[in-house]
Amino acid sequence: MKTYRDIQGELFILGPCNFNREDERVLFHIILKSLGDHQGITLEKVRSLPYCDIVDGHCEKGDFFVSIDLNDGCEIKSKNSDVIDFLEKLLH
């Protein structure tokens, strides 16, 4: 999966490049499945908020969350760039 990286304030962001204009919900579930299949990653249950869905996660490098909303689509966010580096390698 091709990804992009960004920084938003204190958060490092990793997101899927959606060149084929797939439904963002499909990408959200593909990412959750890919991360959930890895033994070193734990994912919490989906929290549905009025404006987005969020799944908190943890890996050997630290904490992160996967979110999907109408504005930004599906993204992985963390305060630790090492977490983003680790997750990016898993998704490629």
Side-chain angles (χ1 to χ4, degrees):
M1 171 182 301
K2 295 236 183 229
T3 58
Y4 67 88
R5 293 178 73 139
D6 197 4
I7 298 174
Q8 184 180 54
E10 295 181 2
L11 290 175
F12 296 90
I13 301 170
L14 177 66
C17 294
N18 193 359
F19 298 122
N20 296 328
R21 300 180 148 220
E22 292 186 50
D23 184 332
E24 291 288 334
R25 287 230 165 256
V26 171
L27 294 176
F28 180 68
H29 291 290
I30 288 171
I31 288 173
L32 292 179
K33 171 124 177 61
S34 295
L35 296 179
D37 286 346
H38 190 274
Q39 291 181 357
I41 294 178
T42 57
L43 297 173
E44 303 294 327
K45 291 187 178 186
V46 176
R47 290 186 290 143
S48 293
L49 304 172
Y51 56 91
C52 69
D53 287 348
I54 296 175
V55 176
D56 293 312
H58 182 78
C59 68
E60 62 190 48
K61 302 290 184 179
D63 297 326
F64 63 93
F65 65 93
V66 183
S67 66
I68 183 169
D69 66 36
L70 294 175
N71 294 326
D72 299 325
C74 181
E75 295 181 322
I76 302 169
K77 299 179 182 181
S78 178
K79 290 185 177 181
N80 184 338
S81 64
D82 291 339
V83 171
I84 296 300
D85 292 340
F86 177 76
L87 297 177
E88 184 174 36
K89 288 177 187 173
L90 290 179
L91 294 174
H92 277 246

